[in-house]
Amino acid sequence: MKLIAGVDIGNSTTEVCIGSVGEDGSFHFLSGASRMTTGTKGTLPNVHGIKSALLEALDKIRQPLSALDLVRLNEAAPVIGDTAMETITETIITESSMIGHNPSTPAGAGEASGYLLHLENIWKGKTGVPYIVVAANKFSYEEVAARLNQHIPELDIRGLILQADEAVLVENRLNKQIPIIDEVRHISRVPEDKLAAIEVALPGTGIRMLSNPYGIATLLGLNPEETRAVTPIAKSLIGKRSAVVIRTPNGNIRENVLPAGEIHFHGSRELSVNIDTGADSIMETLQKAGQIRDISGQQNTNVGNMLDRIKKSMTDVASDRDQEVRITDILAVDTLAPVEISGSLAGETCMEKAVGIAAMVKTKHLPMQKIAEKLEQELKVKAVVAGVEAVMASLGALTTPGTRLPLAILDMGGGSTDAAVLEENGTVRTTHQAGAGELVTMLIQTELGLGSRTTAEQIKKYPMGKVESLFHMRLENGSMQFFEESIDPGYYGHVVLLAPGEMLKVEEDIPMEKILEVRREAKRKVFVRNAVRALKIVAPEHDLRKISNVVLVGGSAEDFEIPEMLTEALAEYRIVCGRGNIRGTEGPRNAVATGLLMSYLSS
C-alpha cells in the first residue's frame, strides 16, 4: 500500500489530502488538513506551510512523514492585488492654509465665522470684531467657560475651538449658545488673527455650508480660484455633523497632480485604455485584446507605477530576467478610496474615485519544480508537480454527491477564480482569472477606511448586528435577537461581527448600513463579475446557456452570502448553482488536493 498526498497551494490557504493506493489499484481517502499559506503563492517559503499541513493530516491517521510515498503539487500561479487611484489633486498646505475637521462630540448648533483668537490672548480682543476663540488643553473646561463668560458682554464671540473632548461640558456652563468644535489634536497649528468658519449640525442631520465649496466661499469670502482649492475639504466633510475651515491668505498652496494613466494590453491586438474611463471600459478593452501576453502601464502615472510595483514584487518568484515577469490577466473594479488632506488638523480624508485591480502575475517558468525539490530535500519524500488547478478542482468536485458529467466548476480562492468544464468524453476547458477574496478584503478596507486588514477580512466573513441594549441586538437583516443574560457593556452601541461562538466589535464608528452596503457591493463587483466572465470563456461556444450546472468550490464558496449571490446572477441563464461537498464530507474545500489524488490513478 502507498500513501499519496495531494497539495493545493492557494493564495490564502494550503490544503492537503492523504489517500492510500493498494496493490490491486484500490483507492481510499484517509484524511485532509488546511493551513495558512506561508509566503507568496508559488514561492519557496510555501514549503513551511506545506510541511505543517502534511504533518496535521498525517497525525489524524497516526502516520509519520516517513510513511509518505509521494507528494503531488498543483501548478501555482501567484495573484497580487493592488489599487490604482483616479487622478487626485493633492493640495499641499503650508501655514495651514485651509483645514477641515470633523469631531464626533461637538456642542451647540449653527454656523459662524470670525477671526481666531487664542484664549490666553482674549484680553486683546476688540469690540465689534467677530471672534472664534481657540482653547488648548492647558485650560480646564471650567476655566474656559469662566473666561468666555467674563468677556461675552464686551466681545462678539461667535464660536469656540477646543483641543480637549469637552465641548458639551463647556457649553453647559456658558451664558451664550455658540457652536463648539472639539478634539482638534494639532491645535498649535491653528493660526491667530485668521478668518475661520465653524458649523455644527442638529442631531441626526449633516452640515450644509462647510460641506459645500460655495458655502465655504460665502462664509470666508473666497474668490473662484480659492473656492476650487478648498473643494477637497468640502468633499471630506460631506455627511459630517460638524466642521471647521480656516483661511490663511498668506499660505502657499500648490498642486501635485499625478495622472491616473493608461493601461496597455499586449495581446492578439495591442490596445490601450485610460483608467479614468472606469472598470467597465477597462474590462471591455481587455476582452477585445484577445489572448494576453502581458499588461503594462503608462510610465510616471498612478497605474503605471502600480503595475511596475506588482512586477517588481515578483522578482523573488522569477529566476529569469525582469522582463520575463508578465501580467496575463487583471480584474478591475470601481471603488472609492480615502485620501488624506495634507495640512489637516486631525487626519481628515477625502473620498476619491479609485480603481481596484487584481493582477495575475506569471513568470516564464514558475518555480514549482524548485518547491518540489526543496520538499524532497526536507521530507525525504518524492514530490512532483502534477496538475493545473482548474482541472484538478473539476476532478475533486466530482466527488460531490449528486454530480455527474458534464460538469462546470467555479473555484473561488483568495487570489484567483478558476473555471472549468469537464465533458463526458474527458475533454476539459479551463481558465484562470485574477481576482477573488483578497480583492474583496482590499475593497472593504479601502472604502470603509479601516486601519486593520484583519477587521476588513472579518467583515467579509461574518454577518453583523448592532447592540442596542444590554439584552438585545438588531441584526443586519432587520430582525431582533434577545439574550437572557446581559451582553458585555463594552459592546453597547457598537456594530459587532457574529463569528462562531463570539462577538467581534468593530472599533470604527461606521453605521451598520454603510458596512453592509460596502461588503455586499464588493462581493458583487468581484465574485459575480468574475464568475460570469470565467464561465463564458469555458462554456461551449462561449454561451452560458449551454452550461446546465455549476459546482462552487474553494474557500470563498464557504462564504455565507456569495453562493446565493451567484445563484441569483446565474438564474437568468437557467444554471443550477450550489456549493460543492467534496468527498461528501469537506464542503467546498479541498477540491484541488482531492483531484490531485484522483489524477494519480490515471497517470
Side-chain angles (χ1 to χ4, degrees):
M1 182 186 76
K2 290 184 178 180
L3 275 185
I4 313 295
V7 177
D8 172 24
I9 306 169
N11 279 82
S12 302
T13 58
T14 295
E15 297 177 350
V16 164
C17 180
I18 306 288
S20 65
V21 180
E23 294 182 3
D24 58 354
S26 61
F27 181 79
H28 299 282
F29 292 109
L30 299 177
S31 71
S34 176
R35 286 294 179 94
M36 295 294 293
T37 296
T38 49
T40 301
K41 176 181 178 179
T43 62
L44 286 177
N46 295 163
V47 171
H48 181 71
I50 295 170
K51 188 175 178 180
S52 296
L54 285 171
L55 285 169
E56 182 182 338
L58 287 166
D59 186 61
K60 292 179 180 178
I61 56 174
R62 305 191 180 191
Q63 292 288 338
L65 270 173
S66 58
L68 273 180
D69 294 285
L70 177 65
V71 175
R72 293 169 62 82
L73 302 171
N74 66 309
E75 288 273 5
V79 178
I80 298 177
D82 205 342
T83 55
M85 300 299 296
E86 269 286 357
T87 302
I88 299 294
T89 299
E90 181 186 2
T91 304
I92 301 173
I93 304 168
T94 61
E95 201 186 339
S96 300
S97 298
M98 292 187 182
I99 304 162
H101 180 44
N102 174 44
S104 59
T105 56
E111 70 261 359
S113 61
Y115 289 90
L116 295 166
L117 179 64
H118 288 196
L119 186 61
E120 57 266 35
N121 297 325
I122 197 170
W123 57 273
K124 294 180 180 180
K126 298 176 182 178
T127 303
V129 178
Y131 289 110
I132 292 176
V133 177
V134 181
N137 267 343
K138 61 184 177 180
F139 298 102
S140 68
Y141 61 87
E142 293 100 335
E143 192 172 0
V144 172
R147 290 200 182 196
L148 289 179
N149 286 333
Q150 180 185 347
H151 291 277
I152 280 174
E154 60 191 64
L155 296 180
D156 184 10
I157 298 174
R158 298 188 177 183
L160 176 63
I161 300 174
L162 295 172
Q163 185 175 21
D165 182 11
E166 297 175 344
V168 176
L169 294 172
V170 173
E171 182 194 34
N172 290 339
R173 290 161 174 79
L174 287 182
N175 297 332
K176 177 183 179 181
Q177 187 175 26
I178 58 174
I180 304 175
I181 303 289
D182 58 5
E183 301 177 63
V184 179
R185 292 198 306 270
H186 306 295
I187 204 158
S188 60
R189 295 183 188 175
V190 177
E192 203 166 33
D193 298 325
K194 304 301 182 184
L195 191 60
I198 66 175
E199 182 178 5
V200 177
L202 292 169
T205 64
I207 59 172
R208 300 180 62 185
M209 291 293 284
L210 296 185
S211 61
N212 173 7
Y214 302 115
I216 296 175
T218 301
L219 291 173
L220 298 183
L222 305 182
N223 62 35
E225 199 59 31
E226 291 168 328
T227 302
R228 187 180 70 85
V230 83
T231 298
I233 292 170
K235 289 170 65 177
S236 75
L237 296 171
I238 292 173
K240 310 302 184 186
R241 192 189 160 196
S242 56
V244 55
V245 177
I246 302 170
R247 180 188 183 193
T248 58
N250 297 328
N252 297 316
I253 303 176
R254 71 181 190 273
E255 294 175 340
N256 177 26
V257 181
L258 184 63
E262 292 187 345
I263 299 176
H264 305 306
F265 296 106
H266 311 286
S268 306
R269 300 170 62 191
E270 296 281 331
L271 297 177
S272 297
V273 60
N274 196 299
I275 202 169
D276 282 326
T277 59
D280 288 342
S281 178
I282 292 170
M283 297 309 293
E284 287 171 10
T285 307
L286 170 66
Q287 186 176 1
K288 291 176 183 176
Q291 187 68 33
I292 299 295
R293 298 187 309 277
D294 194 13
I295 299 171
S296 61
Q298 182 181 352
Q299 293 301 304
N300 299 317
T301 65
N302 269 309
V303 71
N305 292 345
M306 188 207 73
L307 294 177
D308 285 346
R309 185 166 66 249
I310 288 176
K311 287 186 176 182
K312 286 176 183 177
S313 70
M314 291 305 296
T315 54
D316 61 330
V317 176
S319 57
D320 304 306
R321 300 182 305 276
D322 284 349
Q323 58 263 36
E324 296 295 336
V325 178
R326 297 176 292 112
I327 297 176
T328 56
D329 184 55
I330 62 171
L331 174 67
V333 294
D334 291 321
T335 184
L336 294 172
V339 179
E340 186 168 346
I341 300 171
S342 299
S344 63
L345 286 182
E348 289 78 25
T349 59
C350 174
M351 296 301 290
E352 291 286 354
K353 185 180 178 184
V355 175
I357 290 182
M360 183 171 298
V361 185
K362 290 186 179 179
T363 64
K364 188 173 182 181
H365 298 291
L366 287 170
M368 292 306 301
Q369 190 55 45
K370 291 186 177 181
I371 294 176
E373 291 169 1
K374 188 170 178 63
L375 271 177
E376 285 191 3
Q377 292 172 6
E378 292 198 8
L379 305 183
K380 310 301 181 188
V381 176
K382 182 173 177 57
V384 297
V385 181
V388 177
E389 281 185 82
V391 178
M392 297 302 105
S394 298
L395 293 174
L398 274 173
T399 65
T400 295
T403 57
R404 65 177 183 180
L405 297 176
L407 179 73
I409 65 104
L410 273 173
D411 183 0
M412 301 176 294
S416 62
T417 299
D418 298 344
V421 170
L422 183 59
E423 300 284 3
E424 291 179 274
N425 61 8
T427 60
V428 185
R429 291 183 300 276
T430 68
T431 186
H432 196 51
Q433 309 285 356
E438 289 295 319
L439 181 58
V440 172
T441 301
M442 183 181 66
L443 292 177
I444 291 171
Q445 182 180 11
T446 301
E447 291 199 25
L448 294 178
L450 302 172
S452 167
R453 189 175 181 84
T454 300
T455 302
E457 181 72 18
Q458 291 168 341
I459 286 173
K460 178 184 75 176
K461 290 170 62 177
Y462 304 126
M464 293 177 293
K466 183 169 184 180
V467 179
E468 297 186 334
S469 80
L470 296 183
F471 291 93
H472 88 279
M473 74 167 64
R474 176 168 53 91
L475 303 179
E476 65 176 53
N477 63 4
S479 63
M480 295 291 181
Q481 182 176 354
F482 295 89
F483 298 85
E484 292 184 3
E485 296 184 6
S486 172
I487 301 172
D488 184 336
Y491 293 121
Y492 177 70
H494 284 272
V495 175
V496 295
L497 304 172
L498 306 177
E502 63 176 328
M503 294 182 189
L504 303 173
K505 183 168 68 173
V506 177
E507 297 293 347
E508 286 83 358
D509 184 17
I510 307 172
M512 182 168 65
E513 293 75 14
K514 173 68 172 177
I515 298 174
L516 181 63
E517 177 188 0
V518 169
R519 186 193 75 206
R520 287 182 174 170
E521 192 59 28
K523 290 178 179 179
R524 287 192 184 98
K525 287 176 182 177
V526 176
F527 286 110
V528 175
R529 177 174 214 151
N530 232 10
V532 173
R533 179 169 77 114
L535 288 172
K536 280 183 177 178
I537 292 174
V538 298
E541 301 175 22
H542 305 298
D543 184 358
L544 278 181
R545 297 187 183 278
K546 294 190 176 182
I547 293 177
S548 59
N549 57 82
V550 173
V551 178
L552 305 178
V553 298
S556 296
E558 291 184 312
D559 188 89
F560 67 98
E561 60 187 350
I562 290 171
E564 287 72 19
M565 286 182 177
L566 291 175
T567 296
E568 183 179 338
L570 297 176
E572 64 177 287
Y573 303 102
R574 297 185 178 180
I575 294 174
V576 177
C577 176
R579 290 183 184 88
N581 188 14
I582 309 305
R583 309 201 305 273
T585 60
E586 303 298 312
R589 288 277 193 182
N590 217 259
V592 174
T594 299
L596 284 164
L597 288 189
M598 295 175 67
S599 66
Y600 172 79
L601 300 177
S602 58
S603 62

